[in-house]
Amino acid sequence: LDDNGKDYDLIIDEQTKTAAVKATFYVDEKARDAAKEAAGKLNALRGVDVSIQGVTYTIAFEVQVNLSESPKDAVLSAKQGQFDEASGELIREGEFAFNSISTIDDASTAINNTAAASTGSDGHTVSVREKYSADADVVLHEMLHTFGVDHTDSGVMTSSLKDERWSPLISPKVYQQMIDEPLHPLIRQVIRK
């Protein structure tokens, strides 16, 4: 379902000329506030234009944050759908655009020793060290990775918080990257006319 790590829905509305990037993040208690703040920064963006096949659309974000004791398990459950226990029949189809953010111990070797946080090779499982779990910019950086965004030369997507070019700004090319390379375009791009 998520072979190249970009886990979001792209909803193109021809009437309003908007391109909505939609995703849900399951987070643990320690990362909840930072994740809500990061999602709020994305959801509050206004007036950023992107081009889709030569037509200009305004990008909009619909990022939700849900608290879970076990974010990775919550994502797996959401993706698999819901089955009737008695009959084994599928009640609700599994959904695609779900990601997890889990806090790990500061001494954990699960991610690079110098990293504040990391997005797993699956592209939608984020691990954040406990001392950074309240840092909305660290969480925002990883959220953008789950949208398939690469590191940039400046702004919030620099490869290190210690980079002198780091800032809380998001480069406009980041938004176009999300639009140009969505996962499974035939499934992800829901076009409303």
Side-chain angles (χ1 to χ4, degrees):
L1 298 182
D2 191 28
D3 60 2
N4 65 359
K6 300 180 189 110
D7 209 355
Y8 58 96
D9 291 316
L10 177 60
I11 301 169
I12 300 166
D13 191 318
E14 292 292 350
Q15 289 183 356
T16 62
K17 294 294 185 221
T18 57
V21 174
K22 184 176 180 179
T24 299
F25 289 84
Y26 283 98
V27 302
D28 61 27
E29 181 72 37
K30 291 179 181 176
R32 180 187 59 187
D33 292 343
K36 284 188 174 187
E37 184 179 340
K41 287 179 180 186
L42 290 172
N43 292 339
L45 285 170
R46 300 286 183 265
V48 177
D49 291 337
V50 292
S51 176
I52 303 172
Q53 297 177 345
V55 178
T56 300
Y57 296 84
T58 300
I59 198 166
F61 286 86
E62 298 174 21
V63 180
Q64 296 181 25
V65 174
N66 294 333
L67 181 64
S68 174
E69 288 182 22
S70 179
K72 291 178 188 176
D73 291 341
V75 166
L76 183 60
S77 175
K79 287 181 178 285
Q80 288 179 336
Q82 185 177 3
F83 291 85
D84 180 274
E85 288 184 26
S87 68
E89 291 182 22
L90 184 66
I91 297 171
R92 184 180 57 80
E93 288 283 342
E95 298 182 40
F96 288 97
F98 287 90
N99 303 279
S100 69
I101 301 173
S102 301
T103 304
I104 61 172
D105 186 82
D106 289 338
S108 174
T109 58
I111 64 174
N112 182 309
N113 290 346
T114 61
S118 181
T119 301
S121 60
D122 62 3
H124 62 89
T125 304
V126 173
S127 298
V128 60
R129 293 197 188 279
E130 189 167 359
K131 68 181 174 183
Y132 294 102
S133 63
D135 189 324
D137 290 324
V138 168
V139 173
L140 175 60
H141 177 101
E142 297 305 326
M143 279 184 171
L144 290 169
H145 275 318
T146 68
F147 295 153
V149 174
D150 297 324
H151 287 130
T152 58
D153 295 335
S154 62
V156 76
M157 290 309 293
T158 59
S159 60
S160 171
L161 291 169
K162 296 174 183 173
D163 190 313
E164 62 185 28
R165 297 166 297 177
W166 182 94
S167 77
L169 302 176
I170 303 172
S171 167
K173 69 180 179 181
V174 162
Y175 306 116
Q176 193 65 50
Q177 186 179 7
M178 286 182 233
I179 301 303
D180 289 343
E181 302 171 18
L183 173 65
H184 306 310
L186 296 177
I187 297 172
R188 299 261 179 223
Q189 292 187 11
V190 180
I191 300 174
R192 297 174 179 160
K193 295 185 179 188

